Amino acid sequence: MSTHPVVYVLNGPNLNLLGKRQPDIYGHETLADVEASCAAKAQALGLTMAFHQSNHEGEIVETIHRARDEAAAIVINPAAYTHTSVAIMDALLAFEGPIIEVHLSNVHRREEFRSHSWVSKAATGVICGLGSRGYILALDAVADLLGTEAG
Ligand code: CA2
């Protein structure tokens, strides 16, 4: 059994299409590519990662509930639910560890509605506009905040 802290990396609706549509906004990498980079980074940092994607709000809420027992930190790209979901915000507010919100695009340069995030009200920190590197930086932040950084 691993004694490494567990970090959940959660992805919201339509992110399963990453790399397959709209590469001008979201880049050419697929979600499987992002997962592989995150897995390598987590291992280097001494973290155990569990990577999830769901197109269903309730499923994301239930995954966050599981994180209460199983994870020390959460990295989340809630995708469109960022801007709509009080339910995901409330679930995150019930989680005690660090929460890093990640967006591939700079949501503040886009349509006005993307500038508001319910999830930010529960997040420790927010990273946006740096593409998939944002996930890697979020894992760095998690390791730092948990005080578990390797090396
Ligand atoms: O920039 C981000 O990471 C977003 O969370 C992505 C969401 C969007 O609703 C947020 O405002 C910002 C959209 C995810 C959909 O991803 C797709 C990827 C490729 C093709 C189609 C959708």
Side-chain angles (χ1 to χ4, degrees):
M1 193 182 82
S2 168
T3 56
H4 291 160
V6 174
V7 55
Y8 273 22
V9 179
L10 308 183
N11 294 279
N14 299 308
L15 284 166
N16 53 310
L17 297 178
L18 209 60
K20 298 170 183 169
R21 299 271 189 285
Q22 295 181 265
D24 44 322
I25 302 176
Y26 299 118
H28 288 277
E29 274 180 284
T30 65
L31 196 63
D33 295 332
V34 175
E35 179 172 1
S37 312
C38 285
K41 181 68 178 180
Q43 190 178 20
L45 291 169
L47 298 166
T48 297
M49 183 193 72
F51 196 93
H52 299 275
Q53 188 274 331
S54 175
N55 294 322
H56 304 280
E57 185 175 20
E59 197 175 314
I60 295 169
V61 167
E62 285 175 0
T63 304
I64 294 167
H65 292 174
R66 276 206 308 284
R68 282 162 47 79
D69 294 324
E70 295 177 6
I74 295 174
V75 172
I76 183 166
N77 182 348
Y81 289 143
T82 306
H83 318 297
T84 64
S85 183
V86 173
I88 289 174
M89 176 190 73
D90 282 344
L92 289 169
L93 285 169
F95 180 80
E96 288 184 359
I99 297 166
I100 311 297
E101 176 183 351
V102 173
H103 299 285
L104 296 156
S105 64
N106 180 349
V107 286
H108 302 291
R109 286 185 72 165
R110 302 182 63 194
E111 301 95 326
E112 187 67 30
F113 73 87
R114 293 189 204 273
S115 282
H116 179 262
S117 167
W118 291 104
V119 168
S120 293
K121 298 191 181 299
T124 311
V126 183
I127 298 169
C128 78
L130 299 175
S132 63
R133 182 180 301 140
Y135 287 77
I136 301 301
L137 296 171
L139 290 169
D140 264 329
V142 161
D144 199 30
L145 289 163
L146 294 177
T148 55
E149 199 161 2

Short mmCIF file of all heavy atoms in Angstrom, two decimals, residues 80-129:
data_model
loop_
_atom_site.label_atom_id
_atom_site.label_comp_id
_atom_site.label_asym_id
_atom_site.label_seq_id
_atom_site.Cartn_x
_atom_site.Cartn_y
_atom_site.Cartn_z
N ALA A 80 -17.47 23.52 -18.23
CA ALA A 80 -18.62 24.45 -18.23
C ALA A 80 -19.31 24.54 -16.87
O ALA A 80 -19.93 25.57 -16.55
CB ALA A 80 -19.62 24.02 -19.29
N TYR A 81 -19.19 23.50 -16.03
CA TYR A 81 -19.81 23.55 -14.69
C TYR A 81 -19.17 24.62 -13.80
O TYR A 81 -19.75 25.02 -12.80
CB TYR A 81 -19.75 22.19 -14.01
CG TYR A 81 -20.67 21.16 -14.61
CD1 TYR A 81 -20.28 19.82 -14.69
CD2 TYR A 81 -21.93 21.49 -15.07
CE1 TYR A 81 -21.10 18.86 -15.24
CE2 TYR A 81 -22.77 20.53 -15.63
CZ TYR A 81 -22.35 19.21 -15.71
OH TYR A 81 -23.17 18.26 -16.25
N THR A 82 -17.97 25.07 -14.18
CA THR A 82 -17.33 26.19 -13.48
C THR A 82 -18.31 27.34 -13.29
O THR A 82 -18.38 27.96 -12.22
CB THR A 82 -16.18 26.75 -14.36
OG1 THR A 82 -15.31 25.69 -14.70
CG2 THR A 82 -15.43 27.87 -13.68
N HIS A 83 -19.04 27.61 -14.39
CA HIS A 83 -19.84 28.83 -14.47
C HIS A 83 -21.28 28.63 -14.03
O HIS A 83 -22.05 29.58 -14.02
CB HIS A 83 -19.81 29.34 -15.92
CG HIS A 83 -18.45 29.25 -16.56
ND1 HIS A 83 -17.37 29.94 -16.08
CD2 HIS A 83 -17.98 28.49 -17.60
CE1 HIS A 83 -16.30 29.65 -16.82
NE2 HIS A 83 -16.65 28.76 -17.74
N THR A 84 -21.65 27.39 -13.71
CA THR A 84 -23.07 27.11 -13.42
C THR A 84 -23.31 26.35 -12.12
O THR A 84 -24.43 26.37 -11.61
CB THR A 84 -23.69 26.25 -14.55
OG1 THR A 84 -23.02 24.98 -14.57
CG2 THR A 84 -23.59 26.95 -15.89
N SER A 85 -22.30 25.65 -11.60
CA SER A 85 -22.63 24.62 -10.61
C SER A 85 -22.38 25.02 -9.15
O SER A 85 -21.26 24.90 -8.63
CB SER A 85 -21.86 23.31 -10.91
OG SER A 85 -22.25 22.33 -9.97
N VAL A 86 -23.48 25.40 -8.50
CA VAL A 86 -23.45 25.61 -7.05
C VAL A 86 -23.24 24.25 -6.36
O VAL A 86 -22.61 24.18 -5.30
CB VAL A 86 -24.74 26.31 -6.60
CG1 VAL A 86 -24.83 26.40 -5.09
CG2 VAL A 86 -24.83 27.70 -7.22
N ALA A 87 -23.75 23.18 -6.96
CA ALA A 87 -23.61 21.84 -6.35
C ALA A 87 -22.14 21.42 -6.26
O ALA A 87 -21.70 20.88 -5.22
CB ALA A 87 -24.40 20.82 -7.17
N ILE A 88 -21.37 21.67 -7.30
CA ILE A 88 -19.94 21.32 -7.26
C ILE A 88 -19.23 22.24 -6.27
O ILE A 88 -18.39 21.79 -5.48
CB ILE A 88 -19.33 21.36 -8.67
CG1 ILE A 88 -19.88 20.18 -9.48
CG2 ILE A 88 -17.80 21.33 -8.62
CD1 ILE A 88 -19.47 20.15 -10.95
N MET A 89 -19.58 23.53 -6.25
CA MET A 89 -18.98 24.44 -5.26
C MET A 89 -19.25 23.93 -3.84
O MET A 89 -18.34 23.86 -3.00
CB MET A 89 -19.56 25.85 -5.41
CG MET A 89 -19.06 26.81 -4.35
SD MET A 89 -19.94 28.39 -4.35
CE MET A 89 -21.52 27.90 -3.65
N ASP A 90 -20.51 23.56 -3.56
CA ASP A 90 -20.86 23.10 -2.21
C ASP A 90 -20.10 21.83 -1.84
O ASP A 90 -19.63 21.68 -0.70
CB ASP A 90 -22.37 22.86 -2.10
CG ASP A 90 -23.16 24.15 -1.93
OD1 ASP A 90 -22.56 25.19 -1.60
OD2 ASP A 90 -24.39 24.11 -2.13
N ALA A 91 -19.98 20.90 -2.80
CA ALA A 91 -19.23 19.66 -2.52
C ALA A 91 -17.77 20.00 -2.21
O ALA A 91 -17.18 19.45 -1.27
CB ALA A 91 -19.31 18.72 -3.72
N LEU A 92 -17.19 20.93 -2.97
CA LEU A 92 -15.79 21.31 -2.73
C LEU A 92 -15.63 22.01 -1.39
O LEU A 92 -14.61 21.85 -0.71
CB LEU A 92 -15.28 22.20 -3.87
CG LEU A 92 -15.08 21.49 -5.22
CD1 LEU A 92 -14.85 22.53 -6.33
CD2 LEU A 92 -13.93 20.49 -5.17
N LEU A 93 -16.64 22.80 -0.99
CA LEU A 93 -16.56 23.49 0.30
C LEU A 93 -16.54 22.51 1.47
O LEU A 93 -16.08 22.85 2.56
CB LEU A 93 -17.73 24.47 0.45
CG LEU A 93 -17.61 25.77 -0.38
CD1 LEU A 93 -18.93 26.54 -0.36
CD2 LEU A 93 -16.47 26.65 0.13
N ALA A 94 -17.03 21.29 1.23
CA ALA A 94 -17.01 20.26 2.28
C ALA A 94 -15.72 19.44 2.28
O ALA A 94 -15.56 18.51 3.08
CB ALA A 94 -18.22 19.33 2.10
N PHE A 95 -14.79 19.77 1.36
CA PHE A 95 -13.50 19.07 1.29
C PHE A 95 -12.47 19.89 2.06
O PHE A 95 -12.39 21.11 1.89
CB PHE A 95 -13.07 18.92 -0.18
CG PHE A 95 -11.76 18.21 -0.35
CD1 PHE A 95 -11.69 16.83 -0.27
CD2 PHE A 95 -10.59 18.93 -0.57
CE1 PHE A 95 -10.47 16.17 -0.41
CE2 PHE A 95 -9.37 18.28 -0.72
CZ PHE A 95 -9.31 16.89 -0.64
N GLU A 96 -11.65 19.21 2.87
CA GLU A 96 -10.79 19.98 3.79
C GLU A 96 -9.40 20.32 3.26
O GLU A 96 -8.76 21.24 3.77
CB GLU A 96 -10.69 19.23 5.12
CG GLU A 96 -12.01 19.34 5.88
CD GLU A 96 -11.98 18.71 7.26
OE1 GLU A 96 -10.92 18.17 7.63
OE2 GLU A 96 -13.02 18.79 7.93
N GLY A 97 -8.93 19.61 2.23
CA GLY A 97 -7.56 19.84 1.75
C GLY A 97 -7.49 20.93 0.69
O GLY A 97 -8.50 21.54 0.34
N PRO A 98 -6.27 21.16 0.16
CA PRO A 98 -6.10 22.14 -0.92
C PRO A 98 -6.87 21.76 -2.18
O PRO A 98 -6.93 20.57 -2.55
CB PRO A 98 -4.60 22.13 -1.20
CG PRO A 98 -3.96 21.31 -0.15
CD PRO A 98 -5.00 20.53 0.55
N ILE A 99 -7.42 22.77 -2.83
CA ILE A 99 -8.16 22.59 -4.10
C ILE A 99 -7.58 23.59 -5.10
O ILE A 99 -7.58 24.80 -4.84
CB ILE A 99 -9.66 22.90 -3.91
CG1 ILE A 99 -10.30 21.91 -2.92
CG2 ILE A 99 -10.40 22.88 -5.25
CD1 ILE A 99 -11.68 22.35 -2.43
N ILE A 100 -7.07 23.09 -6.22
CA ILE A 100 -6.56 23.98 -7.27
C ILE A 100 -7.49 23.85 -8.48
O ILE A 100 -7.67 22.76 -9.03
CB ILE A 100 -5.11 23.63 -7.68
CG1 ILE A 100 -4.19 23.47 -6.45
CG2 ILE A 100 -4.57 24.71 -8.63
CD1 ILE A 100 -3.99 24.70 -5.60
N GLU A 101 -8.06 24.98 -8.88
CA GLU A 101 -8.92 25.06 -10.07
C GLU A 101 -8.04 25.36 -11.28
O GLU A 101 -7.22 26.28 -11.23
CB GLU A 101 -9.96 26.16 -9.86
CG GLU A 101 -10.87 26.42 -11.05
CD GLU A 101 -11.82 27.60 -10.79
OE1 GLU A 101 -11.89 28.09 -9.63
OE2 GLU A 101 -12.48 28.02 -11.75
N VAL A 102 -8.21 24.59 -12.35
CA VAL A 102 -7.40 24.76 -13.56
C VAL A 102 -8.30 24.97 -14.77
O VAL A 102 -9.33 24.29 -14.91
CB VAL A 102 -6.52 23.50 -13.81
CG1 VAL A 102 -5.80 23.59 -15.15
CG2 VAL A 102 -5.52 23.30 -12.69
N HIS A 103 -7.91 25.91 -15.63
CA HIS A 103 -8.54 26.05 -16.94
C HIS A 103 -7.44 26.11 -17.99
O HIS A 103 -6.44 26.82 -17.81
CB HIS A 103 -9.40 27.31 -17.01
CG HIS A 103 -10.51 27.28 -16.02
ND1 HIS A 103 -11.63 26.50 -16.20
CD2 HIS A 103 -10.64 27.87 -14.82
CE1 HIS A 103 -12.41 26.65 -15.15
NE2 HIS A 103 -11.84 27.46 -14.29
N LEU A 104 -7.65 25.39 -19.07
CA LEU A 104 -6.69 25.40 -20.17
C LEU A 104 -6.60 26.79 -20.80
O LEU A 104 -5.51 27.31 -21.06
CB LEU A 104 -7.13 24.39 -21.23
CG LEU A 104 -7.14 22.93 -20.77
CD1 LEU A 104 -8.10 22.12 -21.62
CD2 LEU A 104 -5.74 22.36 -20.82
N SER A 105 -7.77 27.37 -21.04
CA SER A 105 -7.82 28.69 -21.69
C SER A 105 -7.84 29.79 -20.63
O SER A 105 -8.15 29.54 -19.46
CB SER A 105 -9.07 28.77 -22.57
OG SER A 105 -10.25 28.68 -21.78
N ASN A 106 -7.53 31.01 -21.08
CA ASN A 106 -7.67 32.16 -20.19
C ASN A 106 -9.13 32.59 -20.25
O ASN A 106 -9.55 33.32 -21.16
CB ASN A 106 -6.75 33.30 -20.64
CG ASN A 106 -6.88 34.50 -19.73
OD1 ASN A 106 -7.77 34.57 -18.90
ND2 ASN A 106 -6.00 35.47 -19.90
N VAL A 107 -9.89 32.12 -19.26
CA VAL A 107 -11.35 32.36 -19.27
C VAL A 107 -11.68 33.86 -19.23
O VAL A 107 -12.76 34.26 -19.67
CB VAL A 107 -12.03 31.62 -18.09
CG1 VAL A 107 -12.09 30.13 -18.35
CG2 VAL A 107 -11.34 31.89 -16.76
N HIS A 108 -10.76 34.67 -18.76
CA HIS A 108 -11.02 36.12 -18.64
C HIS A 108 -10.87 36.86 -19.97
O HIS A 108 -11.26 38.02 -20.08
CB HIS A 108 -10.12 36.72 -17.56
CG HIS A 108 -10.33 36.05 -16.25
ND1 HIS A 108 -11.49 36.18 -15.52
CD2 HIS A 108 -9.55 35.18 -15.56
CE1 HIS A 108 -11.41 35.43 -14.44
NE2 HIS A 108 -10.24 34.81 -14.44
N ARG A 109 -10.27 36.19 -20.96
CA ARG A 109 -10.14 36.80 -22.29
C ARG A 109 -11.27 36.38 -23.21
O ARG A 109 -11.30 36.77 -24.38
CB ARG A 109 -8.83 36.36 -22.94
CG ARG A 109 -7.63 37.02 -22.37
CD ARG A 109 -6.38 36.63 -23.12
NE ARG A 109 -6.33 37.26 -24.43
CZ ARG A 109 -5.23 37.32 -25.17
NH1 ARG A 109 -4.11 36.77 -24.73
NH2 ARG A 109 -5.24 37.90 -26.35
N ARG A 110 -12.18 35.57 -22.71
CA ARG A 110 -13.21 34.99 -23.57
C ARG A 110 -14.57 35.65 -23.30
O ARG A 110 -14.61 36.79 -22.88
CB ARG A 110 -13.20 33.47 -23.37
CG ARG A 110 -11.84 32.85 -23.70
CD ARG A 110 -11.84 31.36 -23.54
NE ARG A 110 -12.76 30.73 -24.48
CZ ARG A 110 -13.17 29.46 -24.39
NH1 ARG A 110 -12.70 28.68 -23.42
NH2 ARG A 110 -14.01 28.97 -25.27
N GLU A 111 -15.65 34.94 -23.55
CA GLU A 111 -16.97 35.53 -23.32
C GLU A 111 -17.12 35.92 -21.85
O GLU A 111 -16.58 35.24 -20.97
CB GLU A 111 -18.08 34.52 -23.67
CG GLU A 111 -18.08 34.01 -25.11
CD GLU A 111 -17.33 32.71 -25.25
OE1 GLU A 111 -16.33 32.47 -24.52
OE2 GLU A 111 -17.74 31.90 -26.11
N GLU A 112 -17.91 36.96 -21.62
CA GLU A 112 -18.10 37.49 -20.27
C GLU A 112 -18.53 36.40 -19.27
O GLU A 112 -18.05 36.35 -18.13
CB GLU A 112 -19.15 38.62 -20.34
CG GLU A 112 -19.36 39.39 -19.05
CD GLU A 112 -18.14 40.22 -18.65
OE1 GLU A 112 -17.39 40.67 -19.55
OE2 GLU A 112 -17.94 40.41 -17.43
N PHE A 113 -19.44 35.49 -19.70
CA PHE A 113 -19.97 34.51 -18.75
C PHE A 113 -18.89 33.58 -18.21
O PHE A 113 -19.04 32.99 -17.13
CB PHE A 113 -21.13 33.69 -19.36
CG PHE A 113 -20.71 32.68 -20.40
CD1 PHE A 113 -20.32 31.40 -20.03
CD2 PHE A 113 -20.70 33.00 -21.76
CE1 PHE A 113 -19.94 30.46 -20.98
CE2 PHE A 113 -20.32 32.08 -22.72
CZ PHE A 113 -19.93 30.81 -22.33
N ARG A 114 -17.76 33.45 -18.94
CA ARG A 114 -16.69 32.55 -18.46
C ARG A 114 -15.84 33.19 -17.35
O ARG A 114 -15.01 32.53 -16.73
CB ARG A 114 -15.79 32.12 -19.62
CG ARG A 114 -16.50 31.26 -20.63
CD ARG A 114 -15.53 30.67 -21.64
NE ARG A 114 -16.22 30.33 -22.87
CZ ARG A 114 -16.84 29.17 -23.10
NH1 ARG A 114 -16.82 28.21 -22.21
NH2 ARG A 114 -17.46 28.96 -24.24
N SER A 115 -16.02 34.49 -17.13
CA SER A 115 -15.23 35.17 -16.10
C SER A 115 -15.74 34.88 -14.69
O SER A 115 -15.02 35.10 -13.73
CB SER A 115 -15.24 36.68 -16.32
OG SER A 115 -14.36 37.00 -17.35
N HIS A 116 -16.98 34.40 -14.60
CA HIS A 116 -17.47 34.06 -13.26
C HIS A 116 -17.32 32.56 -12.99
O HIS A 116 -17.74 31.73 -13.79
CB HIS A 116 -18.94 34.44 -13.07
CG HIS A 116 -19.42 34.05 -11.70
ND1 HIS A 116 -20.12 32.90 -11.45
CD2 HIS A 116 -19.22 34.63 -10.49
CE1 HIS A 116 -20.35 32.79 -10.15
NE2 HIS A 116 -19.81 33.85 -9.55
N SER A 117 -16.73 32.25 -11.83
CA SER A 117 -16.57 30.85 -11.43
C SER A 117 -17.14 30.64 -10.03
O SER A 117 -16.65 31.23 -9.06
CB SER A 117 -15.08 30.47 -11.42
OG SER A 117 -14.91 29.24 -10.76
N TRP A 118 -18.14 29.75 -9.93
CA TRP A 118 -18.61 29.31 -8.61
C TRP A 118 -17.52 28.53 -7.90
O TRP A 118 -17.34 28.63 -6.69
CB TRP A 118 -19.87 28.45 -8.75
CG TRP A 118 -21.06 29.22 -9.20
CD1 TRP A 118 -21.62 29.23 -10.45
CD2 TRP A 118 -21.84 30.14 -8.41
NE1 TRP A 118 -22.67 30.09 -10.48
CE2 TRP A 118 -22.85 30.66 -9.25
CE3 TRP A 118 -21.79 30.56 -7.09
CZ2 TRP A 118 -23.80 31.58 -8.81
CZ3 TRP A 118 -22.72 31.48 -6.64
CH2 TRP A 118 -23.71 31.97 -7.49
N VAL A 119 -16.79 27.74 -8.67
CA VAL A 119 -15.76 26.86 -8.09
C VAL A 119 -14.65 27.67 -7.42
O VAL A 119 -14.10 27.25 -6.39
CB VAL A 119 -15.23 25.93 -9.21
CG1 VAL A 119 -13.97 25.20 -8.77
CG2 VAL A 119 -16.33 24.93 -9.59
N SER A 120 -14.34 28.84 -7.95
CA SER A 120 -13.28 29.67 -7.35
C SER A 120 -13.59 30.03 -5.90
O SER A 120 -12.67 30.29 -5.12
CB SER A 120 -13.07 30.96 -8.15
OG SER A 120 -12.55 30.67 -9.42
N LYS A 121 -14.88 30.05 -5.55
CA LYS A 121 -15.25 30.39 -4.17
C LYS A 121 -14.84 29.29 -3.19
O LYS A 121 -14.79 29.52 -1.98
CB LYS A 121 -16.75 30.66 -4.08
CG LYS A 121 -17.15 31.85 -4.92
CD LYS A 121 -18.56 32.32 -4.68
CE LYS A 121 -18.91 33.51 -5.56
NZ LYS A 121 -18.04 34.68 -5.33
N ALA A 122 -14.53 28.10 -3.72
CA ALA A 122 -14.09 27.00 -2.86
C ALA A 122 -12.61 26.65 -3.08
O ALA A 122 -12.07 25.80 -2.39
CB ALA A 122 -14.95 25.76 -3.14
N ALA A 123 -11.99 27.30 -4.08
CA ALA A 123 -10.62 26.90 -4.47
C ALA A 123 -9.57 27.60 -3.61
O ALA A 123 -9.73 28.75 -3.23
CB ALA A 123 -10.39 27.23 -5.94
N THR A 124 -8.50 26.88 -3.36
CA THR A 124 -7.32 27.48 -2.72
C THR A 124 -6.63 28.42 -3.70
O THR A 124 -6.19 29.51 -3.33
CB THR A 124 -6.35 26.36 -2.30
OG1 THR A 124 -7.07 25.35 -1.60
CG2 THR A 124 -5.21 26.91 -1.44
N GLY A 125 -6.51 27.97 -4.94
CA GLY A 125 -5.86 28.76 -5.99
C GLY A 125 -6.44 28.42 -7.34
O GLY A 125 -7.11 27.39 -7.51
N VAL A 126 -6.19 29.31 -8.31
CA VAL A 126 -6.76 29.16 -9.66
C VAL A 126 -5.64 29.39 -10.68
O VAL A 126 -4.88 30.35 -10.55
CB VAL A 126 -7.88 30.19 -9.90
CG1 VAL A 126 -8.52 30.00 -11.28
CG2 VAL A 126 -8.94 30.14 -8.80
N ILE A 127 -5.57 28.51 -11.68
CA ILE A 127 -4.59 28.66 -12.77
C ILE A 127 -5.37 28.64 -14.07
O ILE A 127 -6.16 27.71 -14.31
CB ILE A 127 -3.57 27.50 -12.77
CG1 ILE A 127 -2.77 27.49 -11.46
CG2 ILE A 127 -2.65 27.57 -13.98
CD1 ILE A 127 -1.93 26.23 -11.26
N CYS A 128 -5.17 29.63 -14.94
CA CYS A 128 -5.84 29.58 -16.24
C CYS A 128 -4.97 30.17 -17.33
O CYS A 128 -4.10 31.01 -17.06
CB CYS A 128 -7.21 30.25 -16.20
SG CYS A 128 -7.20 32.04 -16.24
N GLY A 129 -5.19 29.69 -18.56
CA GLY A 129 -4.56 30.29 -19.72
C GLY A 129 -3.22 29.69 -20.10
O GLY A 129 -2.60 30.15 -21.06
#
